[in-house]
Amino acid sequence: EGLCQVFSGGFETYKREFFPMIWSIVEDKQQNIWFASYNFGLMKFDGTSITNYSAESLQKYGSFFYFQSQVDKRGVLYFPNNFGIVYYDGKSFGSIKDRVWASTFYDEQLELLFAGRFEQVKVYNLDHKIVRLIDGPKELKMKGAVSAFGKDRNENIWMGVRLQNKVNYLW
């Protein structure tokens, strides 16, 4: 229903009319802030103005954006969505076509992009080729959608799994 910006000494609220249904936020290498909206596409905020990439204009790449958008060492942005992963290289959009991806995580040291969904994680190199597949509850040892990633100081990668009711699960 909008955004809140927290800064030293307070916060500012941006209404839904400007930033509806934001599910993910990422800063690019030029210090623009990108907002991924579940229903309304992508928005880029350069500090003074908003550039809107509507869901309709991005439809051939993907839509219904999800969690943990990422930026790699080259500055390529990644937005997990209902049809794979939309990426933006600073000039044009493209996509890694697949089923839904709920979340992504870029590991700078390994130069790998992790993508999570229901009972599966795929790991891509910088050429968007699959280098590893972690598939099913046998390897993950749990059921649910991988909806969060993180990395600790010991370089362990963590995956948060959200249990879902299969009746309501559309992924």
Side-chain angles (χ1 to χ4, degrees):
E1 293 302 312
L3 290 170
C4 290
Q5 177 188 24
V6 179
F7 54 91
S8 177
F11 65 93
E12 184 161 345
T13 301
Y14 297 88
K15 296 187 181 218
R16 183 187 201 302
E17 291 79 23
F18 300 107
F19 296 105
M21 296 183 76
I22 302 302
W23 284 33
S24 185
I25 302 167
V26 65
E27 183 177 30
D28 68 18
K29 298 289 185 185
Q30 292 74 41
Q31 298 180 325
N32 299 303
I33 307 294
W34 289 75
F35 304 96
S37 170
Y38 180 76
N39 259 346
F40 297 93
L42 302 171
M43 289 145 271
K44 178 176 78 170
F45 182 56
D46 65 8
T48 57
S49 64
I50 301 166
T51 304
N52 188 7
Y53 301 92
S54 70
E56 293 81 23
S57 71
L58 296 171
Q59 196 167 23
K60 70 179 181 179
Y61 305 110
S63 61
F64 303 111
F65 294 98
Y66 293 116
F67 312 110
Q68 286 193 277
S69 301
Q70 299 290 301
V71 60
D72 73 15
K73 73 175 196 165
R74 305 165 301 177
V76 176
L77 296 163
Y78 296 95
F79 303 97
N81 68 85
N82 208 37
F83 301 103
I85 301 169
V86 170
Y87 59 86
Y88 181 71
D89 66 7
K91 296 177 185 160
S92 60
F93 288 95
S95 64
I96 302 170
K97 293 285 186 186
D98 207 334
R99 297 181 326 200
V100 64
W101 289 112
S103 60
T104 52
F105 171 74
Y106 177 69
D107 186 301
E108 235 174 89
Q109 286 77 29
L110 299 174
E111 297 182 358
L112 296 173
L113 179 71
F114 292 71
R117 68 169 156 225
F118 187 73
E119 297 184 354
Q120 191 175 81
V121 172
K122 281 187 183 174
V123 183
Y124 296 91
N125 65 19
L126 293 178
D127 295 323
H128 304 151
K129 306 291 183 217
I130 298 168
V131 296
R132 174 131 192 239
L133 172 66
I134 305 168
D135 199 15
K138 182 178 179 182
E139 283 185 281
L140 290 176
K141 298 190 182 357
M142 59 185 73
K143 288 184 165 237
V146 178
S147 55
F149 289 94
K151 189 172 183 179
D152 65 24
R153 66 182 167 270
N154 296 320
E155 299 190 20
N156 297 306
I157 295 174
W158 294 78
M159 294 179 272
V161 178
R162 177 179 177 242
L163 185 59
Q164 300 219 209
N165 179 342
K166 285 196 174 192
V167 174
N168 295 326
Y169 191 69
L170 301 176
W171 303 354

mmCIF file of all heavy atoms in Angstrom, residues 70-73 104-114 123-124 126 150-152 155-157:
data_model
loop_
_atom_site.group_PDB
_atom_site.id
_atom_site.type_symbol
_atom_site.label_atom_id
_atom_site.label_comp_id
_atom_site.label_asym_id
_atom_site.label_seq_id
_atom_site.Cartn_x
_atom_site.Cartn_y
_atom_site.Cartn_z
ATOM 1 N N GLN A 70 17.784 -8.342 -7.222
ATOM 2 C CA GLN A 70 19.234 -8.317 -7.011
ATOM 3 C C GLN A 70 19.939 -7.523 -8.102
ATOM 4 O O GLN A 70 19.381 -7.278 -9.165
ATOM 5 C CB GLN A 70 19.790 -9.748 -7.030
ATOM 6 C CG GLN A 70 19.226 -10.653 -5.960
ATOM 7 C CD GLN A 70 19.699 -10.285 -4.583
ATOM 8 O OE1 GLN A 70 20.898 -10.276 -4.306
ATOM 9 N NE2 GLN A 70 18.768 -9.955 -3.695
ATOM 10 N N VAL A 71 21.194 -7.147 -7.829
ATOM 11 C CA VAL A 71 22.072 -6.539 -8.826
ATOM 12 C C VAL A 71 23.400 -7.291 -8.769
ATOM 13 O O VAL A 71 23.913 -7.587 -7.691
ATOM 14 C CB VAL A 71 22.255 -5.023 -8.584
ATOM 15 C CG1 VAL A 71 22.853 -4.728 -7.224
ATOM 16 C CG2 VAL A 71 23.058 -4.377 -9.701
ATOM 17 N N ASP A 72 23.939 -7.646 -9.954
ATOM 18 C CA ASP A 72 25.214 -8.376 -9.976
ATOM 19 C C ASP A 72 26.386 -7.407 -10.119
ATOM 20 O O ASP A 72 26.200 -6.190 -10.200
ATOM 21 C CB ASP A 72 25.212 -9.490 -11.028
ATOM 22 C CG ASP A 72 25.293 -9.007 -12.472
ATOM 23 O OD1 ASP A 72 25.641 -7.832 -12.723
ATOM 24 O OD2 ASP A 72 25.012 -9.827 -13.368
ATOM 25 N N LYS A 73 27.594 -7.925 -10.170
ATOM 26 C CA LYS A 73 28.803 -7.094 -10.194
ATOM 27 C C LYS A 73 28.891 -6.221 -11.436
ATOM 28 O O LYS A 73 29.537 -5.184 -11.428
ATOM 29 C CB LYS A 73 30.058 -7.958 -10.060
ATOM 30 C CG LYS A 73 30.386 -8.769 -11.301
ATOM 31 C CD LYS A 73 31.702 -9.487 -11.135
ATOM 32 C CE LYS A 73 32.190 -9.964 -12.488
ATOM 33 N NZ LYS A 73 33.578 -10.335 -12.458
ATOM 34 N N THR A 104 15.356 -14.182 -5.436
ATOM 35 C CA THR A 104 16.693 -14.344 -6.010
ATOM 36 C C THR A 104 17.733 -13.852 -4.996
ATOM 37 O O THR A 104 17.416 -13.092 -4.078
ATOM 38 C CB THR A 104 16.863 -13.554 -7.326
ATOM 39 O OG1 THR A 104 16.480 -12.196 -7.124
ATOM 40 C CG2 THR A 104 16.052 -14.174 -8.445
ATOM 41 N N PHE A 105 18.961 -14.319 -5.202
ATOM 42 C CA PHE A 105 20.088 -13.898 -4.365
ATOM 43 C C PHE A 105 21.342 -13.941 -5.222
ATOM 44 O O PHE A 105 21.634 -14.957 -5.856
ATOM 45 C CB PHE A 105 20.246 -14.833 -3.160
ATOM 46 C CG PHE A 105 21.503 -14.592 -2.373
ATOM 47 C CD1 PHE A 105 21.612 -13.484 -1.548
ATOM 48 C CD2 PHE A 105 22.569 -15.462 -2.469
ATOM 49 C CE1 PHE A 105 22.777 -13.247 -0.823
ATOM 50 C CE2 PHE A 105 23.736 -15.240 -1.750
ATOM 51 C CZ PHE A 105 23.838 -14.132 -0.926
ATOM 52 N N TYR A 106 22.090 -12.840 -5.269
ATOM 53 C CA TYR A 106 23.340 -12.806 -6.010
ATOM 54 C C TYR A 106 24.502 -12.889 -5.032
ATOM 55 O O TYR A 106 24.622 -12.069 -4.118
ATOM 56 C CB TYR A 106 23.459 -11.532 -6.852
ATOM 57 C CG TYR A 106 24.783 -11.447 -7.561
ATOM 58 C CD1 TYR A 106 25.085 -12.321 -8.604
ATOM 59 C CD2 TYR A 106 25.747 -10.539 -7.176
ATOM 60 C CE1 TYR A 106 26.317 -12.275 -9.247
ATOM 61 C CE2 TYR A 106 26.978 -10.474 -7.807
ATOM 62 C CZ TYR A 106 27.248 -11.351 -8.843
ATOM 63 O OH TYR A 106 28.467 -11.308 -9.474
ATOM 64 N N ASP A 107 25.368 -13.881 -5.233
ATOM 65 C CA ASP A 107 26.566 -14.052 -4.414
ATOM 66 C C ASP A 107 27.738 -13.427 -5.164
ATOM 67 O O ASP A 107 28.160 -13.934 -6.196
ATOM 68 C CB ASP A 107 26.827 -15.533 -4.152
ATOM 69 C CG ASP A 107 27.967 -15.737 -3.181
ATOM 70 O OD1 ASP A 107 29.098 -15.274 -3.473
ATOM 71 O OD2 ASP A 107 27.740 -16.347 -2.132
ATOM 72 N N GLU A 108 28.239 -12.297 -4.619
ATOM 73 C CA GLU A 108 29.307 -11.565 -5.277
ATOM 74 C C GLU A 108 30.615 -12.345 -5.364
ATOM 75 O O GLU A 108 31.312 -12.283 -6.373
ATOM 76 C CB GLU A 108 29.553 -10.238 -4.537
ATOM 77 C CG GLU A 108 29.463 -9.066 -5.460
ATOM 78 C CD GLU A 108 29.558 -7.757 -4.716
ATOM 79 O OE1 GLU A 108 30.688 -7.275 -4.531
ATOM 80 O OE2 GLU A 108 28.493 -7.238 -4.355
ATOM 81 N N GLN A 109 30.974 -13.071 -4.308
ATOM 82 C CA GLN A 109 32.228 -13.823 -4.321
ATOM 83 C C GLN A 109 32.186 -14.957 -5.343
ATOM 84 O O GLN A 109 33.153 -15.193 -6.064
ATOM 85 C CB GLN A 109 32.549 -14.398 -2.932
ATOM 86 C CG GLN A 109 33.034 -13.381 -1.930
ATOM 87 C CD GLN A 109 31.891 -12.536 -1.367
ATOM 88 O OE1 GLN A 109 30.755 -12.977 -1.281
ATOM 89 N NE2 GLN A 109 32.201 -11.304 -1.017
ATOM 90 N N LEU A 110 31.091 -15.677 -5.384
ATOM 91 C CA LEU A 110 30.961 -16.804 -6.313
ATOM 92 C C LEU A 110 30.508 -16.382 -7.710
ATOM 93 O O LEU A 110 30.593 -17.167 -8.648
ATOM 94 C CB LEU A 110 29.968 -17.833 -5.760
ATOM 95 C CG LEU A 110 30.334 -18.478 -4.423
ATOM 96 C CD1 LEU A 110 29.185 -19.355 -3.932
ATOM 97 C CD2 LEU A 110 31.618 -19.276 -4.555
ATOM 98 N N GLU A 111 30.003 -15.142 -7.830
ATOM 99 C CA GLU A 111 29.445 -14.625 -9.086
ATOM 100 C C GLU A 111 28.341 -15.533 -9.609
ATOM 101 O O GLU A 111 28.294 -15.886 -10.784
ATOM 102 C CB GLU A 111 30.540 -14.419 -10.135
ATOM 103 C CG GLU A 111 31.568 -13.389 -9.717
ATOM 104 C CD GLU A 111 32.633 -13.141 -10.772
ATOM 105 O OE1 GLU A 111 32.616 -13.779 -11.832
ATOM 106 O OE2 GLU A 111 33.492 -12.281 -10.517
ATOM 107 N N LEU A 112 27.425 -15.891 -8.706
ATOM 108 C CA LEU A 112 26.310 -16.773 -9.040
ATOM 109 C C LEU A 112 24.995 -16.158 -8.592
ATOM 110 O O LEU A 112 24.928 -15.497 -7.556
ATOM 111 C CB LEU A 112 26.485 -18.136 -8.365
ATOM 112 C CG LEU A 112 27.687 -18.964 -8.799
ATOM 113 C CD1 LEU A 112 27.818 -20.206 -7.916
ATOM 114 C CD2 LEU A 112 27.582 -19.356 -10.269
ATOM 115 N N LEU A 113 23.949 -16.400 -9.374
ATOM 116 C CA LEU A 113 22.603 -15.969 -9.042
ATOM 117 C C LEU A 113 21.798 -17.187 -8.618
ATOM 118 O O LEU A 113 21.692 -18.157 -9.369
ATOM 119 C CB LEU A 113 21.930 -15.317 -10.259
ATOM 120 C CG LEU A 113 20.494 -14.835 -10.042
ATOM 121 C CD1 LEU A 113 20.475 -13.607 -9.143
ATOM 122 C CD2 LEU A 113 19.830 -14.543 -11.378
ATOM 123 N N PHE A 114 21.263 -17.147 -7.393
ATOM 124 C CA PHE A 114 20.406 -18.204 -6.874
ATOM 125 C C PHE A 114 18.960 -17.771 -7.080
ATOM 126 O O PHE A 114 18.624 -16.612 -6.854
ATOM 127 C CB PHE A 114 20.659 -18.412 -5.376
ATOM 128 C CG PHE A 114 22.003 -18.985 -5.055
ATOM 129 C CD1 PHE A 114 23.157 -18.236 -5.197
ATOM 130 C CD2 PHE A 114 22.111 -20.293 -4.595
ATOM 131 C CE1 PHE A 114 24.400 -18.754 -4.890
ATOM 132 C CE2 PHE A 114 23.351 -20.829 -4.292
ATOM 133 C CZ PHE A 114 24.495 -20.063 -4.441
ATOM 134 N N VAL A 123 20.776 -22.397 -9.634
ATOM 135 C CA VAL A 123 21.908 -21.498 -9.526
ATOM 136 C C VAL A 123 22.400 -21.225 -10.948
ATOM 137 O O VAL A 123 22.666 -22.162 -11.717
ATOM 138 C CB VAL A 123 23.029 -22.108 -8.660
ATOM 139 C CG1 VAL A 123 24.162 -21.116 -8.493
ATOM 140 C CG2 VAL A 123 22.484 -22.555 -7.300
ATOM 141 N N TYR A 124 22.506 -19.933 -11.288
ATOM 142 C CA TYR A 124 22.900 -19.499 -12.634
ATOM 143 C C TYR A 124 24.244 -18.789 -12.581
ATOM 144 O O TYR A 124 24.538 -18.056 -11.630
ATOM 145 C CB TYR A 124 21.878 -18.512 -13.197
ATOM 146 C CG TYR A 124 20.509 -19.074 -13.418
ATOM 147 C CD1 TYR A 124 19.534 -19.008 -12.424
ATOM 148 C CD2 TYR A 124 20.159 -19.652 -14.632
ATOM 149 C CE1 TYR A 124 18.257 -19.511 -12.631
ATOM 150 C CE2 TYR A 124 18.885 -20.152 -14.848
ATOM 151 C CZ TYR A 124 17.943 -20.081 -13.840
ATOM 152 O OH TYR A 124 16.689 -20.586 -14.051
ATOM 153 N N LEU A 126 26.930 -15.984 -14.702
ATOM 154 C CA LEU A 126 26.695 -14.661 -15.275
ATOM 155 C C LEU A 126 26.178 -14.708 -16.718
ATOM 156 O O LEU A 126 25.669 -13.709 -17.222
ATOM 157 C CB LEU A 126 27.959 -13.809 -15.190
ATOM 158 C CG LEU A 126 28.390 -13.419 -13.776
ATOM 159 C CD1 LEU A 126 29.672 -12.610 -13.807
ATOM 160 C CD2 LEU A 126 27.299 -12.674 -13.044
ATOM 161 N N GLY A 150 20.066 -15.385 2.278
ATOM 162 C CA GLY A 150 21.007 -14.526 2.968
ATOM 163 C C GLY A 150 22.350 -15.216 3.057
ATOM 164 O O GLY A 150 22.468 -16.410 2.781
ATOM 165 N N LYS A 151 23.368 -14.444 3.411
ATOM 166 C CA LYS A 151 24.714 -15.001 3.540
ATOM 167 C C LYS A 151 25.326 -14.434 4.814
ATOM 168 O O LYS A 151 25.265 -13.229 5.054
ATOM 169 C CB LYS A 151 25.555 -14.626 2.322
ATOM 170 C CG LYS A 151 26.889 -15.329 2.262
ATOM 171 C CD LYS A 151 27.571 -15.062 0.933
ATOM 172 C CE LYS A 151 28.871 -15.817 0.854
ATOM 173 N NZ LYS A 151 29.535 -15.585 -0.433
ATOM 174 N N ASP A 152 25.921 -15.309 5.626
ATOM 175 C CA ASP A 152 26.511 -14.856 6.883
ATOM 176 C C ASP A 152 28.008 -14.574 6.725
ATOM 177 O O ASP A 152 28.585 -14.773 5.660
ATOM 178 C CB ASP A 152 26.212 -15.836 8.020
ATOM 179 C CG ASP A 152 26.853 -17.202 7.845
ATOM 180 O OD1 ASP A 152 27.874 -17.327 7.126
ATOM 181 O OD2 ASP A 152 26.348 -18.169 8.451
ATOM 182 N N GLU A 155 30.313 -17.060 5.192
ATOM 183 C CA GLU A 155 29.998 -17.334 3.788
ATOM 184 C C GLU A 155 29.049 -18.505 3.597
ATOM 185 O O GLU A 155 29.014 -19.112 2.526
ATOM 186 C CB GLU A 155 31.275 -17.482 2.958
ATOM 187 C CG GLU A 155 32.106 -16.204 2.981
ATOM 188 C CD GLU A 155 33.252 -16.210 2.001
ATOM 189 O OE1 GLU A 155 33.238 -16.992 1.038
ATOM 190 O OE2 GLU A 155 34.165 -15.401 2.206
ATOM 191 N N ASN A 156 28.271 -18.820 4.628
ATOM 192 C CA ASN A 156 27.203 -19.806 4.489
ATOM 193 C C ASN A 156 25.992 -19.126 3.859
ATOM 194 O O ASN A 156 25.618 -18.028 4.280
ATOM 195 C CB ASN A 156 26.791 -20.365 5.859
ATOM 196 C CG ASN A 156 27.924 -21.099 6.524
ATOM 197 O OD1 ASN A 156 28.521 -22.001 5.955
ATOM 198 N ND2 ASN A 156 28.239 -20.702 7.752
ATOM 199 N N ILE A 157 25.398 -19.758 2.884
ATOM 200 C CA ILE A 157 24.187 -19.230 2.271
ATOM 201 C C ILE A 157 22.991 -19.861 2.973
ATOM 202 O O ILE A 157 22.932 -21.074 3.151
ATOM 203 C CB ILE A 157 24.171 -19.504 0.753
ATOM 204 C CG1 ILE A 157 25.310 -18.724 0.099
ATOM 205 C CG2 ILE A 157 22.814 -19.124 0.151
ATOM 206 C CD1 ILE A 157 25.520 -19.001 -1.353
#
